[in-house]
Amino acid sequence: MAETLTGFAAAPGRAYGPTHVVQSHARKVARRLIDASQRDAELKRLEQAADALARSLKDSADALASQAPSKTHNLAEALLTSQRAVLDDPVFIDGMRDAIAQRNLCAEWAVESTLNDLQRKFRRLADERFRSWFHDVQGLADELLRELIGASPTRYLQCDEGDIVVAHSLTISDTIKLIERGAAGFILERGSLTSHVAVLCRSAGIAAVTGIDAAAEYFGEDQLLMVDGDKGLVCSVVQKPDKTRQSESFEETLPAPLAPDGSSVTLRANLELRLDAQWARSQGTQGVGLWRTFFQYIGRSDLPSEHHLATLFGRVVEDFAPDPVHIRLLDLSGPFEEHELPLELRNIGPCRGIRLRQHRPDVLITQIRAIVRAATRGDVRVLVPFVTDVSEMLWVREQVQSACETLNPGAQVAVGAMIEVPAAVLSIDAICDVSDHLAIGSNDLGALLLGYGREDPRPPGPPHAALIDAIATIVRAAQRRGIAVSLCGELASDLRGTRALMATGLRHLSLTPRLAPALRFTLHEMWRRSQRAAQSRSGQA
């Protein structure tokens, strides 16, 4: 094995495969001054290149819209929409026009000059997220320059399925194309953990490492590499390791997950961006315990229509059938800027979960109607986020019943509360009375219960005893009424707390699918140890 290189763990997972080296398509930008008689011609060249790029982005978005949900479908749509918005942004395109009209720069030089000006501004921003977004703006400028000089990206995008892509940097469009072609992993010289390339890889469940200096020159074409996106490591290998050695592989021979007492445990998938049922099942999950619909609203200027949502929901419900799909109603929280939301959702301010009905009930009603329409395709259930009062559940149930009567007579769509705030724990008996099922949102519940920010680093060690006690209270209340209760959030896959969770009586866990094999193995080992302990006690008796 050759020298191991260390970078940044941009997207978790492991991948083995031959390299596909994307040589930099950086161009020698023509830096020439023009005279007044050439300005109109250069402005026209710039407009034609921008129009061609806009058509390319639209074609990519249209192609995605016509496909069934895939690895990067939702996020890719949002990012392409965002790129089109950047292309229309006066700060971006007008700066180039001014460089031509006022400084007499040729079109290529105008693009590069405007990019350099933006880079200086981004460098002054304190927040790393904003500085990292510059790389994505730079990617858009690269594509615009490709249009200007007529450089085709076809050659370097022709990776084979299972290839490890090695590149200096990649644009959003390039990354989407490479993922759709079956790239198994990515190694980038440039790009932060919050860049769109890293986010795309995480959403697709593809390992990625960034910050490997001169990677495109260091590694040759078709060199066999291992990418460890958990530790940020890259190393060459003589031969592909046996599949059983891969930490993320799913072993078909492993028995179904069992609690220490021998009762069955159901592992379901959390969905955000990757909506691939086959992949989720291959990791050992059954159905969807939590589908956050937040990303259906990011990167749009308008609200998604009922038809659009019903089509998407229906496809996913059908793909996961006969297992259930729990769809969480819109929760306006997350790492976004207000301008990324549809116009009609801006200026609302902080508005968690079901509280949106106080401002825009029509948005929730549209979602509910789309869910009811999707019920013709399989088992779909509603999750109501941030419940604090029985009246909130009753309102949702009324909307579901009304939608069923008008859109899907005879349908029975279950409605469940998400228990995410201490007030809901204190009112758990009353909430159970109006719920068909429950889901515990461990991220928000833990943050609010223990007094730290939702995005703050969690305290080290096993989960806090107070959080476990709250979960046990919820589980007991659900069991008294005979309704199912599941746990979502990071705690579901935190192996340090698995035994404590099983002791509460929880038997349904919802987690990121790629983490399911490790949890499955942990549960199996716990069950085996309990069996051995029981046999030992029996022998002593």
Side-chain angles (χ1 to χ4, degrees), residues 39-60:
R39 290 174 186 165
D40 288 344
E42 289 301 293
L43 285 169
K44 185 176 181 179
R45 288 183 62 226
L46 178 64
E47 297 295 339
Q48 289 175 337
D51 289 344
L53 178 54
R55 287 194 299 272
S56 176
L57 293 172
K58 184 179 185 302
D59 290 344
S60 296

Side-chain angles (χ1 to χ4, degrees), residues 73 101 268 271 320 336 388 416 449 515:
H73 186 278
R268 293 194 174 120
L271 294 188
F320 278 90
F336 64 88
T388 58
L449 189 65
L515 300 176

